[in-house]
mmCIF file of all heavy atoms in Angstrom:
data_model
loop_
_atom_site.group_PDB
_atom_site.id
_atom_site.type_symbol
_atom_site.label_atom_id
_atom_site.label_comp_id
_atom_site.label_asym_id
_atom_site.label_seq_id
_atom_site.Cartn_x
_atom_site.Cartn_y
_atom_site.Cartn_z
ATOM 1 N N ILE A 121 16.014 -8.483 16.012
ATOM 2 C CA ILE A 121 15.411 -9.067 14.821
ATOM 3 C C ILE A 121 14.708 -8.023 13.955
ATOM 4 O O ILE A 121 14.812 -8.047 12.745
ATOM 5 C CB ILE A 121 14.428 -10.192 15.194
ATOM 6 C CG1 ILE A 121 15.261 -11.408 15.704
ATOM 7 C CG2 ILE A 121 13.559 -10.625 14.010
ATOM 8 C CD1 ILE A 121 14.347 -12.496 16.318
ATOM 9 N N THR A 122 14.027 -7.080 14.633
ATOM 10 C CA THR A 122 13.177 -6.138 13.879
ATOM 11 C C THR A 122 13.942 -4.853 13.511
ATOM 12 O O THR A 122 13.438 -4.059 12.727
ATOM 13 C CB THR A 122 11.968 -5.729 14.691
ATOM 14 O OG1 THR A 122 12.400 -5.141 15.936
ATOM 15 C CG2 THR A 122 11.106 -6.914 14.947
ATOM 16 N N ARG A 123 15.150 -4.651 14.015
ATOM 17 C CA ARG A 123 15.856 -3.385 13.769
ATOM 18 C C ARG A 123 15.979 -3.052 12.295
ATOM 19 O O ARG A 123 15.798 -1.850 11.951
ATOM 20 C CB ARG A 123 17.256 -3.456 14.408
ATOM 21 C CG ARG A 123 18.034 -2.150 14.322
ATOM 22 C CD ARG A 123 19.290 -2.178 15.114
ATOM 23 N NE ARG A 123 19.044 -2.101 16.554
ATOM 24 C CZ ARG A 123 19.417 -3.023 17.405
ATOM 25 N NH1 ARG A 123 20.011 -4.131 17.000
ATOM 26 N NH2 ARG A 123 19.102 -2.895 18.691
ATOM 27 N N PRO A 124 16.242 -3.986 11.355
ATOM 28 C CA PRO A 124 16.366 -3.572 9.963
ATOM 29 C C PRO A 124 15.033 -3.218 9.301
ATOM 30 O O PRO A 124 15.061 -2.687 8.180
ATOM 31 C CB PRO A 124 16.938 -4.879 9.310
ATOM 32 C CG PRO A 124 17.457 -5.699 10.404
ATOM 33 C CD PRO A 124 16.570 -5.394 11.553
ATOM 34 N N CYS A 125 13.895 -3.510 9.924
ATOM 35 C CA CYS A 125 12.613 -3.292 9.232
ATOM 36 C C CYS A 125 11.630 -2.485 10.071
ATOM 37 O O CYS A 125 10.447 -2.641 9.916
ATOM 38 C CB CYS A 125 12.006 -4.629 8.785
ATOM 39 S SG CYS A 125 11.655 -5.774 10.174
ATOM 40 N N VAL A 126 12.161 -1.642 10.943
ATOM 41 C CA VAL A 126 11.309 -0.697 11.661
ATOM 42 C C VAL A 126 11.930 0.709 11.515
ATOM 43 O O VAL A 126 13.105 0.849 11.268
ATOM 44 C CB VAL A 126 11.163 -0.996 13.152
ATOM 45 C CG1 VAL A 126 10.370 -2.276 13.381
ATOM 46 C CG2 VAL A 126 12.521 -1.086 13.843
ATOM 47 N N LYS A 127 11.066 1.729 11.712
ATOM 48 C CA LYS A 127 11.594 3.091 11.756
ATOM 49 C C LYS A 127 12.415 3.274 13.060
ATOM 50 O O LYS A 127 13.452 3.945 13.055
ATOM 51 C CB LYS A 127 10.432 4.084 11.652
ATOM 52 C CG LYS A 127 10.837 5.519 11.530
ATOM 53 C CD LYS A 127 9.696 6.428 11.271
ATOM 54 C CE LYS A 127 10.135 7.879 11.162
ATOM 55 N NZ LYS A 127 8.987 8.804 10.977
ATOM 56 N N HIS A 128 11.933 2.673 14.120
ATOM 57 C CA HIS A 128 12.657 2.655 15.386
ATOM 58 C C HIS A 128 12.049 1.603 16.293
ATOM 59 O O HIS A 128 10.936 1.140 16.059
ATOM 60 C CB HIS A 128 12.523 4.026 16.067
ATOM 61 C CG HIS A 128 13.538 4.255 17.176
ATOM 62 N ND1 HIS A 128 14.895 4.364 16.916
ATOM 63 C CD2 HIS A 128 13.408 4.345 18.516
ATOM 64 C CE1 HIS A 128 15.539 4.542 18.082
ATOM 65 N NE2 HIS A 128 14.643 4.512 19.053
ATOM 66 N N ASN A 129 12.832 1.137 17.277
ATOM 67 C CA ASN A 129 12.243 0.249 18.271
ATOM 68 C C ASN A 129 12.799 0.513 19.632
ATOM 69 O O ASN A 129 13.871 1.139 19.811
ATOM 70 C CB ASN A 129 12.396 -1.224 17.851
ATOM 71 C CG ASN A 129 13.832 -1.648 17.616
ATOM 72 O OD1 ASN A 129 14.817 -1.017 18.089
ATOM 73 N ND2 ASN A 129 14.001 -2.746 16.872
ATOM 74 N N PHE A 130 12.074 0.066 20.643
ATOM 75 C CA PHE A 130 12.414 0.303 22.076
ATOM 76 C C PHE A 130 12.299 -0.989 22.863
ATOM 77 O O PHE A 130 11.427 -1.784 22.605
ATOM 78 C CB PHE A 130 11.450 1.309 22.669
ATOM 79 C CG PHE A 130 11.376 2.659 22.033
ATOM 80 C CD1 PHE A 130 10.465 2.885 20.972
ATOM 81 C CD2 PHE A 130 12.185 3.706 22.468
ATOM 82 C CE1 PHE A 130 10.365 4.160 20.398
ATOM 83 C CE2 PHE A 130 12.070 4.996 21.873
ATOM 84 C CZ PHE A 130 11.189 5.174 20.841
ATOM 85 N N LEU A 131 13.173 -1.133 23.866
ATOM 86 C CA LEU A 131 13.008 -2.149 24.900
ATOM 87 C C LEU A 131 12.822 -1.432 26.225
ATOM 88 O O LEU A 131 13.707 -0.693 26.649
ATOM 89 C CB LEU A 131 14.251 -3.072 24.953
ATOM 90 C CG LEU A 131 14.250 -4.099 26.109
ATOM 91 C CD1 LEU A 131 13.098 -5.066 26.000
ATOM 92 C CD2 LEU A 131 15.598 -4.862 26.137
ATOM 93 N N VAL A 132 11.670 -1.555 26.839
ATOM 94 C CA VAL A 132 11.325 -0.793 28.020
ATOM 95 C C VAL A 132 11.581 -1.676 29.260
ATOM 96 O O VAL A 132 10.973 -2.726 29.435
ATOM 97 C CB VAL A 132 9.891 -0.335 27.995
ATOM 98 C CG1 VAL A 132 9.569 0.600 29.209
ATOM 99 C CG2 VAL A 132 9.539 0.377 26.724
ATOM 100 N N LYS A 133 12.463 -1.251 30.127
ATOM 101 C CA LYS A 133 12.817 -2.050 31.292
ATOM 102 C C LYS A 133 12.335 -1.430 32.612
ATOM 103 O O LYS A 133 12.658 -1.901 33.668
ATOM 104 C CB LYS A 133 14.333 -2.216 31.369
ATOM 105 C CG LYS A 133 14.868 -3.125 30.241
ATOM 106 C CD LYS A 133 16.357 -3.422 30.439
ATOM 107 C CE LYS A 133 16.899 -4.341 29.352
ATOM 108 N NZ LYS A 133 18.330 -4.692 29.599
ATOM 109 N N ASP A 134 11.576 -0.352 32.522
ATOM 110 C CA ASP A 134 11.051 0.344 33.709
ATOM 111 C C ASP A 134 9.640 0.818 33.441
ATOM 112 O O ASP A 134 9.437 1.523 32.451
ATOM 113 C CB ASP A 134 12.003 1.527 34.030
ATOM 114 C CG ASP A 134 11.642 2.232 35.313
ATOM 115 O OD1 ASP A 134 10.472 2.107 35.764
ATOM 116 O OD2 ASP A 134 12.516 2.866 35.892
ATOM 117 N N ALA A 135 8.717 0.430 34.282
ATOM 118 C CA ALA A 135 7.329 0.798 34.053
ATOM 119 C C ALA A 135 7.104 2.309 34.002
ATOM 120 O O ALA A 135 6.197 2.753 33.297
ATOM 121 C CB ALA A 135 6.432 0.193 35.170
ATOM 122 N N SER A 136 7.953 3.097 34.663
ATOM 123 C CA SER A 136 7.800 4.508 34.631
ATOM 124 C C SER A 136 8.120 5.121 33.261
ATOM 125 O O SER A 136 7.818 6.297 33.028
ATOM 126 C CB SER A 136 8.704 5.165 35.705
ATOM 127 O OG SER A 136 10.075 4.982 35.379
ATOM 128 N N LYS A 137 8.741 4.310 32.410
ATOM 129 C CA LYS A 137 9.098 4.792 31.040
ATOM 130 C C LYS A 137 8.115 4.395 29.969
ATOM 131 O O LYS A 137 8.257 4.755 28.807
ATOM 132 C CB LYS A 137 10.485 4.250 30.690
ATOM 133 C CG LYS A 137 11.635 4.626 31.613
ATOM 134 C CD LYS A 137 11.892 6.101 31.626
ATOM 135 C CE LYS A 137 13.109 6.440 32.505
ATOM 136 N NZ LYS A 137 13.345 7.919 32.558
ATOM 137 N N ILE A 138 7.100 3.596 30.325
ATOM 138 C CA ILE A 138 6.179 3.065 29.299
ATOM 139 C C ILE A 138 5.418 4.155 28.608
ATOM 140 O O ILE A 138 5.344 4.227 27.376
ATOM 141 C CB ILE A 138 5.209 2.052 29.922
ATOM 142 C CG1 ILE A 138 5.984 0.756 30.337
ATOM 143 C CG2 ILE A 138 4.113 1.695 28.932
ATOM 144 C CD1 ILE A 138 5.119 -0.251 31.057
ATOM 145 N N ALA A 139 4.787 5.045 29.369
ATOM 146 C CA ALA A 139 3.964 6.154 28.763
ATOM 147 C C ALA A 139 4.750 7.017 27.813
ATOM 148 O O ALA A 139 4.338 7.249 26.715
ATOM 149 C CB ALA A 139 3.265 6.938 29.870
ATOM 150 N N GLU A 140 5.912 7.445 28.265
ATOM 151 C CA GLU A 140 6.781 8.279 27.413
ATOM 152 C C GLU A 140 7.191 7.566 26.194
ATOM 153 O O GLU A 140 7.236 8.144 25.096
ATOM 154 C CB GLU A 140 8.013 8.771 28.214
ATOM 155 C CG GLU A 140 8.940 9.640 27.437
ATOM 156 C CD GLU A 140 10.207 9.964 28.166
ATOM 157 O OE1 GLU A 140 10.409 9.433 29.302
ATOM 158 O OE2 GLU A 140 11.032 10.740 27.630
ATOM 159 N N THR A 141 7.488 6.288 26.327
ATOM 160 C CA THR A 141 7.968 5.494 25.150
ATOM 161 C C THR A 141 6.837 5.328 24.151
ATOM 162 O O THR A 141 7.049 5.429 22.932
ATOM 163 C CB THR A 141 8.475 4.143 25.617
ATOM 164 O OG1 THR A 141 9.552 4.310 26.561
ATOM 165 C CG2 THR A 141 8.959 3.345 24.443
ATOM 166 N N ILE A 142 5.617 5.035 24.622
ATOM 167 C CA ILE A 142 4.495 4.896 23.691
ATOM 168 C C ILE A 142 4.183 6.218 23.035
ATOM 169 O O ILE A 142 3.881 6.304 21.826
ATOM 170 C CB ILE A 142 3.279 4.336 24.458
ATOM 171 C CG1 ILE A 142 3.547 2.886 24.820
ATOM 172 C CG2 ILE A 142 1.984 4.439 23.585
ATOM 173 C CD1 ILE A 142 2.437 2.158 25.595
ATOM 174 N N ARG A 143 4.307 7.339 23.759
ATOM 175 C CA ARG A 143 4.099 8.652 23.151
ATOM 176 C C ARG A 143 5.119 8.863 22.046
ATOM 177 O O ARG A 143 4.796 9.371 20.971
ATOM 178 C CB ARG A 143 4.269 9.730 24.206
ATOM 179 C CG ARG A 143 4.065 11.150 23.695
ATOM 180 C CD ARG A 143 2.628 11.406 23.408
ATOM 181 N NE ARG A 143 2.354 12.764 22.907
ATOM 182 C CZ ARG A 143 2.518 13.197 21.668
ATOM 183 N NH1 ARG A 143 2.906 12.325 20.714
ATOM 184 N NH2 ARG A 143 2.253 14.440 21.337
ATOM 185 N N LYS A 144 6.409 8.511 22.279
ATOM 186 C CA LYS A 144 7.438 8.622 21.254
ATOM 187 C C LYS A 144 7.131 7.712 20.085
ATOM 188 O O LYS A 144 7.348 8.143 18.915
ATOM 189 C CB LYS A 144 8.807 8.242 21.846
ATOM 190 C CG LYS A 144 9.396 9.297 22.799
ATOM 191 C CD LYS A 144 10.731 8.860 23.334
ATOM 192 C CE LYS A 144 11.365 9.897 24.241
ATOM 193 N NZ LYS A 144 12.674 9.443 24.787
ATOM 194 N N ALA A 145 6.650 6.522 20.345
ATOM 195 C CA ALA A 145 6.389 5.565 19.265
ATOM 196 C C ALA A 145 5.346 6.117 18.294
ATOM 197 O O ALA A 145 5.517 6.017 17.095
ATOM 198 C CB ALA A 145 5.917 4.222 19.894
#
Side-chain angles (χ1 to χ4, degrees):
I121 288 171
T122 59
R123 185 172 288 117
C125 59
V126 293
K127 187 173 179 181
H128 196 68
N129 56 22
F130 301 88
L131 174 62
V132 186
K133 293 186 176 182
D134 185 336
S136 66
K137 302 294 185 183
I138 291 176
E140 180 186 4
T141 302
I142 290 178
R143 182 70 178 86
K144 287 180 179 179

